[in-house]
Amino acid sequence: FSIIKLLQYIREEIILVLSLSSSDPVLPSLMKKLEKLGCSKALVGLVTPTGYTFNPDGSCIYMALAAVFVAQATNTPLTAADYVTLFFVAALTHKGASGVQGAAFIALVGTLMVIPSIPVAGMALILGIDRFMSMCRATVNVISNAVATVVDARWEKELDGETLRANLAALTG
């Protein structure tokens, strides 16, 4: 299937997520759309909410990149072990950061604490753009969970291919 067509199919949810900076309000409509797309109801009911809880990709990517950005902006040299530590800590701390506006910023402060050489005061560099970054995090989370649901449905043979093709082909431009 075409990822571009899938994005067009869930465009209303993406716009809502961008305006609210939260992916939670679109969960019910996203689930309905994925069922209508041809994914089985049972699979959508399991994979999509689970993805919201355990697969907030946007938050994890943000944590890792923001920590490295603060280190570079404050001219703090990092070793390979520091990068690996930041990656693993970000992979753990991002779990609770996607549900509440601004929670990722607080979780990032906790992530930075594991590398004492990075000054936490460097977080002031990110504070001004955190609202914009929150919009991006939430959007990535929704898109990745929609794609994951379709891929899982296809993998588990819980996807009606004809319905998928018909719904995506019906989209214009």
Side-chain angles (χ1 to χ4, degrees), residues 62 69 124-135 137:
Y62 166 76
F69 171 78
L125 298 169
I126 295 178
L127 185 59
I129 61 164
D130 189 60
R131 172 71 176 179
F132 174 73
M133 295 306 297
S134 181
M135 294 166 52
R137 285 189 302 264

Side-chain angles (χ1 to χ4, degrees), residues 82-161:
D82 291 338
Y83 283 109
V84 171
T85 302
L86 280 173
F87 171 75
F88 282 114
V89 172
L92 292 173
T93 57
H94 81 281
K95 297 294 185 206
S98 63
V100 178
Q101 170 68 25
F105 188 79
I106 302 304
L108 180 57
V109 171
T111 302
L112 287 177
M113 300 295 277
V114 300
I115 309 292
S117 61
I118 301 176
V120 177
M123 290 298 298
L125 298 169
I126 295 178
L127 185 59
I129 61 164
D130 189 60
R131 172 71 176 179
F132 174 73
M133 295 306 297
S134 181
M135 294 166 52
C136 297
R137 285 189 302 264
T139 304
V140 170
N141 292 342
V142 166
I143 292 170
S144 67
N145 285 314
V147 170
T149 301
V150 174
V151 169
D152 282 351
R154 184 171 180 197
W155 188 345
E156 295 296 326
K157 298 180 182 17
E158 295 283 332
L159 177 68
D160 182 357

Side-chain angles (χ1 to χ4, degrees), residues 33-65:
K33 279 194 169 181
L34 290 170
E35 289 173 21
K36 184 181 175 194
L37 195 59
C39 301
S40 75
K41 184 174 182 149
L43 186 127
V44 169
L46 174 68
V47 173
T48 308
T50 303
Y52 264 65
T53 304
F54 296 108
N55 189 32
D57 297 335
S59 298
C60 186
I61 292 167
Y62 166 76
M63 295 278 189
L65 291 178

